[in-house]
Amino acid sequence: DVINRAPKQLVALRDQYRMRSEISDLISSTFYPEHTLKTVAHKDDLSTPWGNESFIIIDTKSLDSDSAQVNGKSRRNVLHALVVEELVSKLLENGWSFESTAKKSFGVISPYAKQSSFIEGILRTKIGKPLNGAISTVHRFQGNERDLMIIDVTKDATNAAPNLGAFLGNSDPLSPSNAMWNVAISRARQHVILVTDLETLKKNPSAVI
């Protein structure tokens, strides 16, 4: 009985000051429905080259990309990486920076280590300067944040393998694997740009993502 009673000194923190309300509301309703978050300071002062919406989806379906497996379970998607490269170039042209303390900061994350390292290699060669830890896997970015986050889902469904799988496609919001999406989306203060094949998500309607 003692184990099942929450100690009186434990209080759920509900006020959040960091994220836009649309981002916070999505995180709250999906992952913390019993402790809904309240956005105290909604900020929408930073616009992107593609508008000022909190969520921007880049649909890669027309590219017919391939998310090949590399060294076992990890994946790499060359066309997605090139899309991210173009997004990064446009952001840099418009005054955005990898620096976490910049007035307009951004980062890039992927669920797959091979994809994040591949993107980092492309951008390091193109930009020719340190990326300040702004390109990473979702798990390694935990505890970090930026004004804008580019999330590359990476995996594309095929006719032979239409499912996202247990790693990306779990239907239980409280599953440990889905903690990744909680972390990924909540790293953003004002914008989330999702790079994904929408057809893949439609084929996996029960997946939390």
Side-chain angles (χ1 to χ4, degrees), residues 11-186:
V11 178
L13 300 178
R14 298 171 185 266
D15 291 353
Q16 73 87 18
Y17 297 77
R18 189 172 61 80
M19 296 174 279
R20 281 187 178 183
S21 57
E22 292 89 354
I23 298 173
S24 173
D25 290 349
L26 177 62
I27 292 294
S28 178
S29 62
T30 305
F31 300 104
Y32 309 109
E34 72 284 8
H35 297 299
T36 53
L37 299 175
K38 174 187 174 184
T39 300
V40 177
H42 177 92
K43 295 182 180 179
D44 58 4
D45 57 315
L46 302 179
S47 185
T48 79
W50 309 280
N52 202 22
E53 291 82 4
S54 299
F55 292 95
I56 299 170
I57 297 177
I58 308 297
D59 185 8
T60 61
K61 182 182 184 304
S62 63
L63 299 179
D64 195 24
S65 58
D66 178 30
S67 54
Q69 279 193 307
V70 181
N71 295 340
K73 294 183 178 180
S74 197
R75 290 183 179 274
R76 185 175 65 191
N77 191 320
V78 175
L79 290 177
H80 272 216
L82 294 177
V83 168
V84 171
E85 179 188 10
E86 288 300 314
L87 294 174
V88 168
S89 296
K90 193 70 173 177
L91 287 169
L92 293 173
E93 288 173 9
N94 282 266
W96 291 76
S97 172
F98 287 120
E99 292 279 359
S100 60
T101 56
K103 287 186 176 181
K104 297 193 294 184
S105 63
F106 76 100
V108 180
I109 50 180
S110 166
Y112 297 99
K114 290 297 180 183
Q115 182 71 353
S116 61
S117 61
F118 184 59
I119 293 171
E120 183 178 16
I122 291 175
L123 293 176
R124 191 189 303 115
T125 300
K126 182 172 184 175
I127 298 170
K129 59 181 180 181
L131 303 177
N132 302 305
I135 301 172
S136 177
T137 59
V138 177
H139 293 102
R140 289 185 177 180
F141 213 83
Q142 191 164 0
N144 209 337
E145 61 184 54
R146 295 291 192 277
D147 295 310
L148 180 153
M149 290 301 305
I150 298 172
I151 304 174
D152 176 11
V153 175
T154 304
K155 190 171 190 286
D156 290 337
T158 63
N159 290 332
N163 296 326
L164 280 172
F167 180 48
L168 298 187
N170 198 297
S171 60
D172 179 9
L174 299 183
S175 165
S177 62
N178 277 326
M180 170 177 64
W181 298 124
N182 184 352
V183 171
I185 295 169
S186 63

